[in-house]
Every structure is written in structure tokens, then in C-alpha cells.
Amino acid sequence: MIATQAKLVYQLNKYYNERCQARKAAIAKTIREVCKVVSDVLKEVEVQEPRFISSLSEIDARYEGMEVIAPNEFEVVLYLNQMGVFNFVDDGSLPGCAVLKLSDGRKRSMSLWVEFITASGYLSARKIRSRFQTLVAQAVDKCSYRDVVKMVADTSEVKLRIRERYVVQITPAFKCTGIWPRSAAQWPMPHIPWPGPNRVAEVKAEGFNLLSKECYSLTGKQSSAESDAWVLQFGEAENRLLMSGCRKKCLSILKTLRDRHLELPGQPLHNYHMKTLLLYECEKHPRETDWDESCLGDRLNGILLQLISCLQCRRCPHYFLPNLDLFQGRPHSALETAAKQTWRLAREILTNAKSLDKL
């Protein structure tokens, strides 16, 4: 048994050093190319409208605010200034979302975003996005990369297609630090020792983002409350939780397997599903020794089996917001196909570690 485990860990490390590192290098190259174009477009936007300042910056060869959705699909978060005069209201009526309401009607004219405030005092995510979309469309026509970049039509999101190969969504957002959403108040579960009080305090201080984008749980329910609402996102908090042991290596392997074998019609699985299930696996195995290099095979198998279970039940709860189902709106047939394909993948890795050479 131990020999089999050791063999699997050896093969996984080989897979990581060959396949995962090659994927990372290819994506890093793409990001550099994509960010040149996006930065140029955002510079043009800023000339027209100084309230939309590009927050895309390179730090230690990594771009802050750039999220990899898939090898040819990215999201850039554009942080907006001055949320100050608004209260964050999170009553759970819109799963995964919250609203920003004027703290005092008399402060309306003091807001930097005055023309995007609704009659009832909400800062409308949709109105800001709509204005931003117009500005980006104008910037695309003026920027120096206009021959290789164009807007993606038929969506309320701000999406660019670059060189006919890559899609980049640019999402206006507010950073919220020092507060924690009520809808995530159940975290951490009192009976689960991971991640421990110090890390919890760090994560909560890190806070979360409010994004202006269409919400998972609301597609099809186009109410005015929905279009004004902002989507909660916990990217930085999640990354902080995955910093120690072999967690990041495990995620890298999961992402590579997904990109190579689970990129399926109907797009049932994204890398974010992998990250979510990894966080749940951390709760199931709370001791740091459970995330030692020698346990990599066990952790990976555990996550793949949990993924099959979620796909079969057609439900994958968000880690911090369990009322939000990350499979919402995905076609059932696509989830079924993904379950079968994940099972084939897991069985192959479990029964024959050397199969990783071909995966």
C-alpha cells in the first residue's frame, strides 16, 4: 500500500514538473501578451473618464487583479475608488450578492458615483457597468492595438476578444476590507479545527470584493434589485487559505487535469470548482501533516471523488456562501458527461499511477 502511494506521489510530482509547469509558463506568456492590450485599452478609458483608473499592475512578474478562468479566458478586476458614503447591505435575499446603499440621503451629491445612484439610494452595479462598457468600446477603437482587439457583442459584461484567441472580461469592483459578509457568517464552522483562529483573523481582515457582473443565482430573474446588486468574490481570502503544505501544488495539478481532460461542451467545470473542492478537502483533513508532500495522492483522489459526487448531485456549494450553488444554470447533460469523464480520470489515476505520463 505504502509502495503504491509512493509511486503515485512520484508520478504526480513528475506530472507537476512537466505538465503543470509547462501550463504555467504558457499561461504566463499569454498573460503578458493580453495585459499589454488590456492596459492600453484602460489607459484610453482613463483619459475619457478619470474615475475608472486602471489597477492592473505587475508585481514580482505577476499581474495583480488578473484571474485565469481557463488558458484562453481571463478576468481583470478594475478596482474603483470611494465606496465611503455607502453601506454594505447583505440580507441574503440575493444569494452570492449584496447591495450598496447610501448611508444618508443627504450625502448623494458627495458621492463620486452620483449619477449611478438609483432613486431609492442604491449604487447600481449595472449602471456603472453599462457606462464602463461604452467607454471601453470607444477606447478599443482608439487604442494602438485596435487591429487585434474587439468587443464581444450580446452581453452586458465588458468582454474583449484579443487576436481571435483570447477572451478577457474586465469587471469594475470595490475592495471591502475590515468587514465580513453576513451571508458568510457561518465560516469557519465551529466544530472544524481548520484553518485555526489566527488564519481566520487574517482572512477576515483581507476581506472580499464586490464585482459588477451578472450573478449565478439571478440569471433569468432580471429584477431591478438584481441589476443593482454586486457579486461577492473572495479570491484573496481563498488564496491565503491555500498557502501552506502541498495545497497549491494540488490545485495546480487539478487545474491542469481540468484543462486537458474536462474542457467539455456546455462548460460544466471551471478551475474555480476545483479550488472550491480543495477548500472543502482542507476542512476534511484539518491537520497540517495531512498536507505533507507524501499525502498528495490521497488528497487528489479525495477531491476527484468529491467532484464526481457533486456532479452527480448537480450541486456544488460555494465555500464561503453555501447557499450559492456553483452549478446553477449548467445543463444537466453537461454535468452528467463531466461526472463520467471525471470518473474515468480518477479510476485511471487510482489504478495505474503511470497513466499520468499520458494524461
Side-chain angles (χ1 to χ4, degrees), residues 57-343:
S57 55
E58 194 178 357
I59 298 167
D60 300 333
R62 275 190 74 244
Y63 280 89
E64 290 292 293
M66 163 67 91
E67 189 75 31
V68 179
I69 310 296
N72 55 355
E73 199 183 331
F74 305 89
E75 181 171 22
V76 170
V77 173
L78 181 84
Y79 291 109
L80 307 175
N81 290 321
Q82 289 200 4
M83 198 183 101
V85 298
F86 297 97
N87 284 337
F88 168 75
V89 183
D90 160 38
D91 60 7
S93 60
L94 302 169
C97 295
V99 291
L100 291 171
K101 192 167 182 7
L102 266 180
S103 53
D104 179 342
R106 290 167 300 186
K107 290 183 179 170
R108 181 183 288 264
S109 59
M110 291 160 60
S111 170
L112 185 66
W113 306 101
V114 61
E115 73 270 42
F116 306 109
I117 302 171
T118 65
S120 30
Y122 293 104
L123 180 63
S124 169
R126 180 185 49 82
K127 285 182 177 181
I128 284 188
R129 190 165 71 246
S130 171
R131 171 79 180 123
F132 182 58
Q133 193 173 37
T134 306
L135 292 166
V136 171
Q138 290 165 1
V140 162
D141 290 339
K142 289 181 185 168
C143 78
S144 47
Y145 289 96
R146 55 186 168 278
D147 297 339
V148 297
V149 60
K150 57 173 185 268
M151 294 283 284
V152 174
D154 304 326
T155 172
S156 82
E157 312 280 22
V158 180
K159 287 187 177 181
L160 303 176
R161 182 169 278 112
I162 298 172
R163 299 188 204 285
E164 292 298 336
R165 274 208 305 273
Y166 312 115
V167 173
V168 185
Q169 178 165 335
I170 310 176
T171 306
F174 285 107
K175 207 184 234 324
C176 302
T177 49
I179 54 171
W180 192 249
R182 198 177 351 167
S183 48
Q186 87 300 326
W187 184 84
M189 295 290 210
H191 59 282
I192 292 172
W194 186 81
N198 292 348
R199 185 55 58 89
V200 168
E202 277 174 32
V203 165
K204 289 192 171 182
E206 186 78 55
F208 55 95
N209 293 327
L210 289 176
L211 307 184
S212 169
K213 65 195 288 188
E214 287 174 11
C215 184
Y216 280 118
S217 61
L218 300 165
T219 35
K221 283 195 270 179
Q222 291 288 330
S223 67
S224 63
E226 187 252 287
S227 58
D228 296 334
W230 296 75
V231 174
L232 294 156
Q233 188 244 35
F234 297 84
E236 298 301 321
E238 290 155 355
N239 293 343
R240 197 169 273 266
L241 286 172
L242 299 176
M243 273 176 4
S244 57
C246 66
R247 292 175 176 87
K248 278 173 121 169
K249 183 181 274 193
C250 192
L251 182 57
S252 197
I253 293 169
L254 286 163
K255 285 176 175 180
T256 307
L257 288 169
R258 191 218 74 92
D259 289 355
R260 294 170 70 88
H261 304 283
L262 297 167
E263 181 66 68
L264 302 165
Q267 292 246 302
L269 284 178
H270 287 166
N271 285 331
Y272 190 67
H273 295 113
M274 301 304 193
K275 191 183 196 185
T276 299
L277 293 173
L278 175 57
L279 287 161
Y280 281 119
E281 189 74 6
C282 292
E283 288 193 345
K284 286 184 208 159
H285 299 277
R287 291 185 315 224
E288 235 11 74
T289 49
D290 295 333
W291 292 90
D292 188 73
E293 197 73 25
S294 60
C295 302
L296 184 59
D298 289 344
R299 297 295 77 84
L300 188 84
N301 284 329
I303 293 163
L304 289 174
L305 294 174
Q306 184 60 61
L307 174 59
I308 295 162
S309 169
C310 286
L311 287 162
Q312 287 173 336
C313 300
R314 299 173 190 154
R315 181 167 163 73
C316 179
H318 187 286
Y319 179 65
F320 287 114
L321 309 167
N323 289 337
L324 180 63
D325 176 16
L326 298 178
F327 286 156
Q328 175 102 16
R330 296 282 196 289
H332 287 178
S333 58
L335 296 174
E336 218 164 282
T337 306
K340 286 176 185 160
Q341 181 67 0
T342 308
W343 173 242

